[in-house]
Amino acid sequence: MFKSNDILRKQTALKGERKISMLVGISLAFTIHVVGVYWWYQNDDLLYPLIMLPPKSIPPFWHAIFIIMVNDTLVRQAAMILKCILLIYYKNSRGRNYRKQGQMLTLVEYLMLLYRALLPTPVWYRFFLNKEYGSLFSSLMTGLYLTFKLTSVVEKVQSFFAALKALSRKEVHYGAYATSEQVNAAGDLCAICQEKMHTPIILRCKHIFCEDCVSEWALVKSADLRSFSDGTTSLLFQIF
């Protein structure tokens, strides 16, 4: 029994090292790509919208689309770099806290969704203020765009603060903390990690596991949020 547990721990540790190596490789590849693209297109007004400033000159329609799509793609890659760093941090930390890891990944994604919603604003603001279409038309289009954009951004802000609030919550969403009597009755051995239970949780099905172990598979978000706890990110482009 103890020999098989040792083998299982060694296999788990080896898999963990491989995952960390893969995460480091992905982070380096995305970092090189993001830096390289911005260096290559440094004269194409890509950097100004990143700090919420309009391009220097009024961009043609397709150039505006180009700026927005490139920035949106690279910001998503930057978010993935941050998520990889978080995954490496939690994999190397003593006593994996899967619930906190999932909450942090969800928070990063909602922050990026908010930032990506703002990214096209300075580009289209400059585009719609083109006086060649007439002052009335440009003012009307700018006003309509900013109105619709404000509605979208308010929703993203609310979601971000909901994710931030969920980060500070301590309650367990998938069961309750087990008493010492319940733990002793179950044998005080976690069926997932095969070790003495640490902060045991009793599920609604009455099974008991370590909190960190069960959090890897259980829900880690509040009811009003979509979970990005596995590190996923939205693949849809934020064009407008």
Side-chain angles (χ1 to χ4, degrees):
M1 178 67 178
F2 291 107
K3 187 175 180 180
S4 62
N5 287 343
D6 290 338
I7 295 174
L8 181 62
R9 291 193 192 98
K10 289 180 180 179
Q11 291 176 340
T12 302
L14 183 60
K15 289 180 181 179
E17 291 175 1
R18 289 176 179 172
K19 287 180 180 179
I20 290 176
S21 299
M22 183 180 66
L23 290 171
V24 170
I26 293 173
S27 300
L28 288 175
F30 278 139
T31 300
I32 293 171
H33 183 254
V34 170
V35 173
V37 170
Y38 278 122
W39 177 81
W40 186 263
Y41 291 105
Q42 56 185 307
N43 297 321
D44 287 281
D45 285 334
L46 287 178
L47 296 176
Y48 277 82
L50 288 177
I51 54 176
M52 298 297 116
L53 292 177
K56 295 178 182 178
S57 57
I58 299 174
F61 177 78
W62 290 112
H63 188 60
I65 294 291
F66 169 78
I67 293 173
I68 292 168
M69 291 187 68
V70 170
N71 275 335
D72 188 71
T73 300
L74 296 181
V75 165
R76 276 187 292 166
Q77 292 185 3
M80 293 173 72
I81 294 171
L82 181 55
K83 289 178 179 180
C84 285
I85 293 173
L86 285 172
L87 288 171
I88 293 171
Y89 169 77
Y90 281 103
K91 281 183 179 297
N92 284 329
S93 62
R94 297 179 63 183
R96 296 282 303 279
N97 190 335
Y98 292 102
R99 181 173 59 171
K100 186 67 69 175
Q101 171 187 301
Q103 290 170 330
M104 285 297 298
L105 291 172
T106 299
L107 179 65
V108 168
E109 180 61 21
Y110 274 106
L111 177 61
M112 286 299 105
L113 287 174
L114 172 59
Y115 181 58
R116 288 173 57 204
L118 292 171
L119 269 178
T121 307
V123 180
W124 291 122
Y125 176 78
R126 175 71 80 189
F127 177 81
F128 288 131
L129 280 181
N130 190 347
K131 301 299 182 180
E132 294 181 3
Y133 300 117
S135 299
L136 179 61
F137 177 79
S138 62
S139 298
L140 179 61
M141 290 301 297
T142 302
L144 287 174
Y145 173 73
L146 292 178
T147 300
F148 286 120
K149 176 56 66 174
L150 180 61
T151 303
S152 173
V153 168
V154 167
E155 180 183 351
K156 296 293 192 302
V157 169
Q158 291 173 339
S159 297
F160 169 72
F161 278 107
L164 188 62
K165 184 179 179 181
L167 186 63
S168 63
R169 290 175 181 165
K170 302 296 183 182
E171 69 266 20
V172 182
H173 299 286
Y174 36 78
Y177 290 110
T179 64
S180 56
E181 292 79 8
Q182 290 171 325
V183 173
N184 292 330
D188 199 15
L189 184 69
C190 178
I192 297 176
C193 65
Q194 293 295 310
E195 295 181 358
K196 183 179 175 64
M197 291 194 191
H198 176 70
T199 316
I201 297 293
I202 181 169
L203 306 182
R204 295 179 180 88
C205 60
K206 304 305 179 184
H207 292 97
I208 302 177
F209 304 97
C210 299
E211 181 177 13
D212 286 347
C213 293
V214 74
S215 294
E216 184 174 12
W217 307 100
L219 204 62
V220 293
K221 69 179 183 65
S222 57
D224 55 340
L225 287 174
R226 175 188 170 187
S227 176
F228 294 94
S229 58
D230 57 352
T232 55
T233 187
S234 173
L235 295 178
L236 297 176
F237 282 105
Q238 182 68 54
I239 301 296
F240 294 98

